[in-house]
Amino acid sequence: MATPILCDEEFVVVLGAAQDGKSWAFERLFHLVAQPILSYVRAQGSPDPDALTNETLLRAFRAIASFSGDVDGFRAWTFTIARCRLIDERRSRARRPRTESLTDDAGVARLVPRGGDVEVEAFASFGDDWVRDTLDALAPDQRDVLLLRFVADLSIDQTASVLGKTPGAVKALQHRGIATIRRTSAVETVSS
């Protein structure tokens, strides 16, 4: 499903209606950013990208009265929230290893740490090892830039806003990320 596009004039009307609590306006804003955010958090390895997307939009909609700006600013604002939630999720996972309950021979429940790499499991849903290997080869900042630019379809300025970097830094990270992908692909082609 293609992301609906709102011109700045339409966005002003939709934003005003959302700030007034109109449900139709929230629906329009949801359709504007939900799919790109879902794709971004899925590619970043969230174990529950749907829940993270919903939580991001819930936080954005609760704070909608504080937002002022155009449609590009709104997209950048919601991706900033998504990125912060993703960082929080990673920190939380790092503090609390996942466990599952098993029963021993005597029928006593015990907790057993679950194995596995969340990022590997998330990318397994793509069914494409090349994507995972390619993203793994990138530095985290390069991966963030490329996912925001090409998966989320944010502009250089929006990406800079989300990441708290300058547009020049985003351009450099994008250039280096693409160069890394080219080098990695060239090595794989020669090795095959």
Side-chain angles (χ1 to χ4, degrees):
M1 178 173 140
T3 301
I5 297 172
L6 292 174
C7 69
D8 283 334
E9 293 80 24
E10 289 175 300
F11 179 76
V12 168
V13 172
V14 173
L15 176 63
Q19 290 173 331
D20 288 339
K22 307 290 187 210
S23 61
W24 67 266
F26 286 110
E27 184 178 345
R28 291 282 307 272
L29 294 175
F30 176 88
H31 288 294
L32 177 68
V33 295
Q35 189 59 49
I37 289 172
L38 177 64
S39 298
Y40 170 71
V41 298
R42 181 177 289 140
Q44 285 285 14
S46 173
D48 193 351
D50 291 317
L52 188 61
T53 299
N54 288 335
E55 186 174 335
T56 296
L57 293 173
L58 182 61
R59 285 179 184 232
F61 292 164
R62 283 183 177 158
I64 196 80
S66 68
F67 177 79
S68 65
D70 60 8
V71 67
D72 290 338
F74 180 76
R75 292 186 71 218
W77 182 64
T78 57
F79 273 92
T80 299
I81 295 169
R83 185 168 181 270
C84 289
R85 287 298 310 125
L86 191 60
I87 291 167
D88 290 346
E89 180 183 79
R90 288 177 177 156
R91 287 178 182 153
S92 177
R93 279 196 330 248
R95 285 191 303 268
R96 286 179 265 133
R98 291 175 37 188
T99 61
E100 63 184 45
S101 178
L102 294 178
T103 310
D104 65 12
D105 293 338
V108 176
R110 59 188 172 92
L111 294 177
V112 178
R114 290 183 67 190
D117 182 335
V118 174
E119 188 170 358
V120 170
E121 291 170 10
F123 280 114
S125 68
F126 286 106
D128 191 348
D129 291 336
W130 183 85
V131 171
R132 184 189 67 243
D133 293 344
T134 300
L135 290 175
D136 285 347
L138 298 172
D141 281 349
Q142 293 171 355
R143 181 176 32 242
D144 278 345
V145 166
L146 293 180
L147 289 173
L148 288 168
R149 291 282 293 128
F150 301 116
V151 174
D153 196 30
L154 296 183
S155 69
I156 295 282
D157 290 337
Q158 291 170 317
T159 302
S161 175
V162 169
L163 298 176
K165 298 188 181 301
T166 65
V170 168
K171 289 177 185 177
L173 287 165
Q174 178 178 319
H175 177 75
R176 287 194 301 264
I178 291 171
T180 299
I181 291 171
R182 284 186 181 135
R183 277 192 313 275
T184 304
S185 296
V187 168
E188 288 174 5
T189 303
V190 171
S191 308
S192 300

